[in-house]
Amino acid sequence: MNTFQLQCFLAVANTLSFAKAADRMSVSQPAITHQIKSLETELNVKLFRRSTRVVEMTLEGQAFLPDAKSIVVISEQAMLRFANSDDRPILTLAIGCNSDWLLSLLESSLSELNQQHQNFHPHLCVEQTERLFHLLETEMIDLVFDIREGQELKKGWEFHPLCSSRLACVCRRDAALPHPGNLSDLAQKKLIFCNPINVAPEINRLQRQLAEGKHPADIHFCDSAETACVLVGAGCGVAIVPELLVPANERIVSVPLEDAPSLSYGLFCKSSAKNDIVKQFIRIATSAFGARSAPE
């Protein structure tokens, strides 16, 4: 396996076209085909399903995608590191999260660490939760920022809590539920459900409970809490979302649900891979979130 093979794989994955991938890589289409076949032979899996009309990634290809991205990034960083004689050390920290919005909550902590280290290079990765924990297990990333509930804390892993968030009903401001609300208040509402792969088990359980007896026309589906909030603002229905993930928007409001659980958010890491920069970031983030949640 080499980086050119992986770059060809990523080009096909991004374009879902061998011809477009060849243009992007400035090689012939047969060359792209050869590299993909060589990679599939080496991995002993089929990465793409290809017909005369469409190219689709297989489940194996989707599972390999984050690994390929990480390997290419690490390879490019290594080459750049030795491209000149400057011997300043580069401090790297790789953090994974399943949401761009959730990842943005770490901005102030990253800023503080950046101010303390001149050559700090964070690598931020947004992937599905299952893939993130695979990357953490294989030490391709240092930290995962995610929900504690429903996640197995494997031997040698640590969880550092940062904050908690109640589940809330997100609805349009001009048609808000009573405050606070209850799940029973949603019986007559059109509902917006997030992809079960991308939400905590508690949210998935509530979605299944609320779906009972509902006509399919009264249920919308989307990929993330952020997308759900957009659909709420558009008047498509209401959604169950952690309050932490509800963006500021004049069209929508989050109403706490008295009979819904709270979720714990924090940083997962492997004890064996917890170096000084990881420890320092955990301390900074813990302090930042503590200050954020403290009463004024």
Side-chain angles (χ1 to χ4, degrees):
M1 186 186 307
N2 56 60
T3 54
F4 183 65
Q5 283 178 322
L6 297 177
Q7 289 168 343
C8 291
F9 166 73
L10 293 175
V12 177
N14 289 333
T15 62
L16 292 181
S17 166
F18 279 69
K20 291 179 180 178
D23 289 340
R24 181 171 293 187
M25 296 296 295
S26 299
V27 297
S28 66
Q29 187 170 334
I32 289 287
T33 301
H34 173 71
Q35 294 299 325
I36 297 301
K37 286 184 177 179
S38 297
L39 186 59
E40 289 178 329
T41 299
E42 188 169 351
L43 295 173
N44 196 31
V45 295
K46 198 75 174 173
L47 298 171
F48 297 99
R49 284 188 295 270
R50 186 181 182 186
S51 69
T52 55
R53 306 180 69 178
V54 297
V55 175
E56 296 178 326
M57 292 187 72
T58 63
L59 292 176
E60 292 80 5
Q62 294 174 26
F64 181 61
L65 185 60
D67 292 336
K69 290 179 181 178
S70 297
I71 293 170
V72 170
V73 167
I74 290 172
S75 174
E76 291 177 350
Q77 287 176 342
M79 287 187 289
L80 288 173
R81 185 174 294 118
F82 299 109
N84 56 58
S85 58
D86 192 335
D87 59 357
R88 288 176 299 168
I90 294 177
L91 298 175
T92 61
L93 179 68
I95 304 174
C97 190
N98 66 8
S99 159
D100 288 296
W101 172 254
L102 189 60
L103 193 58
S104 71
L105 300 180
L106 299 177
E107 181 180 332
S108 63
S109 301
L110 289 167
S111 175
E112 183 173 342
L113 196 59
N114 185 56
Q115 292 172 10
Q116 296 180 17
H117 298 283
Q118 184 178 2
N119 301 314
F120 173 53
H121 283 236
H123 170 54
L124 306 179
C125 173
V126 178
E127 292 283 355
Q128 290 182 348
T129 296
E130 185 177 351
R131 295 179 182 175
L132 290 174
F133 283 102
H134 169 69
L135 293 175
L136 183 66
E137 176 64 25
T138 55
E139 299 186 10
M140 302 295 286
I141 58 178
D142 302 300
L143 294 163
V144 170
F145 184 29
D146 209 325
I147 297 169
R148 173 67 183 93
E149 288 77 11
Q151 301 298 343
E152 177 189 1
L153 198 60
K154 297 182 180 180
K155 184 178 180 180
W157 286 27
E158 299 178 8
F159 176 74
H160 299 269
L162 297 181
C163 63
S164 63
S165 178
R166 295 179 298 180
L167 288 180
C169 177
V170 183
C171 37
R172 278 182 64 103
R173 194 175 295 273
D174 56 9
L177 296 180
H179 193 289
N182 290 281
L183 291 172
S184 58
D185 297 327
L186 309 183
Q188 305 303 318
K189 301 286 185 180
K190 289 188 175 183
L191 302 173
I192 300 167
F193 288 167
C194 295
N195 187 335
I197 296 176
N198 298 329
V199 298
E202 284 77 5
I203 299 177
N204 191 27
R205 177 180 58 79
L206 289 178
Q207 290 184 161
R208 291 199 304 270
Q209 177 183 332
L210 293 169
E212 294 179 3
K214 282 282 187 182
H215 190 279
D218 293 328
I219 300 176
H220 296 263
F221 294 93
C222 63
D223 285 334
S224 67
E226 296 91 334
T227 307
C229 290
V230 172
L231 294 177
V232 171
C236 296
V238 300
I240 303 295
V241 173
E243 282 189 308
L244 190 68
L245 299 182
V246 180
N249 184 322
E250 62 182 14
R251 288 178 177 269
I252 65 175
V253 61
S254 62
V255 177
L257 296 172
E258 288 186 316
D259 47 355
S262 293
L263 301 175
S264 302
Y265 286 84
L267 296 168
F268 292 84
C269 67
K270 290 184 70 175
S271 303
S272 59
K274 197 167 66 169
N275 55 35
D276 289 342
I277 199 74
V278 171
K279 294 176 183 177
Q280 190 174 0
F281 182 79
I282 291 173
R283 287 196 299 269
I284 290 172
T286 301
S287 176
F289 275 84
R292 182 181 307 175
S293 61
E296 297 182 0

